């Protein structure tokens, strides 16, 4: 049995890793049953949150009907979230309670900053294919979506924010026009601040819940809706629009979500695990995510009314 991380017809369930620990006698049946009940609670509180199951903004955006004004506003707000996320990710690294969790957090942060994922077994090979060479150069259309940053190569142009600059430039924006707090709306900045407070929390139980919720939100389909909408816009209005920032994230986020379930399996069975705080961290960050998307949706609706 493997874990399932979808939001409508499927539910979180016990993984083969937990079943093996049960067979080995490391866990009792009662503890496994408790964990199964906890996953039901997580599914109800996190995976059924309205911003995961019914994101009105991305559902509208996927149709590709955003005007130039709406598109520019979206890219500006998303760039603020993307760039400010680095602060929360660094704080998560600093506050990690164990070396293993610190490394897991650094995987995400360093990749965001431009360290390319290295597929296991890639280093040491004497044969370098053309695509591998482009990987090293940070081509966002080709860089690996799986593996580890350990032993990976850093390239400035592989930084995720530089890919987003490429999208912005296609709309007439420049580096100076995006990413800073001064470009963020109140709802966007609320989300950024809550990421720092919750995702980067010094309380490991709050941080773990927020991390699990964030990664599973990211894997729940909104990237696909954004990619669909931008692809339609590229086909009809902006043929030179560079979309790699969105297409790459759409491919990679499932891997991040899988890692968070493994982390949860480790921390849940520790004596100091606090179910209440875990749920609190996840619920509060999902509410903040909803504020961000609701802000974008309110702007879109205000443009229509005008």
């Amino acid at each position: 049995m493997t874990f399932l991380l979808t939001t409508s017809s499927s539910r979180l369930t016990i993984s083969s890793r937990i079943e093996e620990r049960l067979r080995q006698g490391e866990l009792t049946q009662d503890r496994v049953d408790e964990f199964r009940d906890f996953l039901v609670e997580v599914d109800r509180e996190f995976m059924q949150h309205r911003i995961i199951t019914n994101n009105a903004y991305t559902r509208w955006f996927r149709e590709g009907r955003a005007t130039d004004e709406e598109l520019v506003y979206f890219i500006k707000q998303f760039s603020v979230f993307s760039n400010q996320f680095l602060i929360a990710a660094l704080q998560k690294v600093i506050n990690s309670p164990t070396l293993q969790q610190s490394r897991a957090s650094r995987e995400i942060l360093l990749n965001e900053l431009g360290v390319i994922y290295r597929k296991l077994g890639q280093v040491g090979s004497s044969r370098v294919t053309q695509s591998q060479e482009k990987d090293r150069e940070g081509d966002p259309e080709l860089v690996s979506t799986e593996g580890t940053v350990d032993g990976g190569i850093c390239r400035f142009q592989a930084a995720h924010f530089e890919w987003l600059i490429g999208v912005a430039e296609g709309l007439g924006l420049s580096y100076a026009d995006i990413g800073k707090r001064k470009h963020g709306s109140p709802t966007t900045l609320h989300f950024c601040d809550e990421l720092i407070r919750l995702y980067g929390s010094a309380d490991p139980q709050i941080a773990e819940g927020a991390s699990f919720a964030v990664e599973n939100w990211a894997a729940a389909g909104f990237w696909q809706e954004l990619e669909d909408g931008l692809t339609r816009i590229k086909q009809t209005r902006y043929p030179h629009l560079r979309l790699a920032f969105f297409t790459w994230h759409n491919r990679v986020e499932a891997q991040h979500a899988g890692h968070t379930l493994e982390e949860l399996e480790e921390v849940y069975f520790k004596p100091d695990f606090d179910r209440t705080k875990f749920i609190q961290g996840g619920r509060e960050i999902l509410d903040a995510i909803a504020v961000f998307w609701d802000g974008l949706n309110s702007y879109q609706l205000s443009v229509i009314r005008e």
Side-chain angles (χ1 to χ4, degrees), residues 275-301:
R275 292 175 58 152
T276 300
K277 284 187 174 182
F278 181 93
I279 296 296
Q280 176 189 342
R283 284 288 305 188
E284 290 185 4
I285 199 62
L286 287 171
D287 289 344
I289 291 168
V291 168
F292 170 69
W293 290 116
D294 288 348
L296 285 168
N297 199 45
S298 294
Y299 179 85
Q300 175 256 326
L301 292 173

Side-chain angles (χ1 to χ4, degrees), residues 61 64-68 70-72 74-76 140-141 162-173 226-247:
F61 191 91
R65 296 188 290 107
T67 65
D68 289 353
E70 291 166 338
L71 194 56
V72 165
F74 163 70
I75 292 299
K76 279 192 172 185
E141 296 285 4
E162 291 210 15
W163 305 350
L164 196 52
I165 294 171
V167 183
E169 288 176 342
L171 300 173
L173 299 170
L226 295 180
E227 180 180 338
D228 289 346
L230 288 167
T231 298
R232 290 186 173 95
I233 290 170
K234 179 181 177 73
Q235 291 169 344
T236 57
R237 289 155 48 198
Y238 288 97
H240 301 297
L241 195 62
R242 296 162 63 185
L243 302 184
F245 174 88
F246 293 95
T247 58

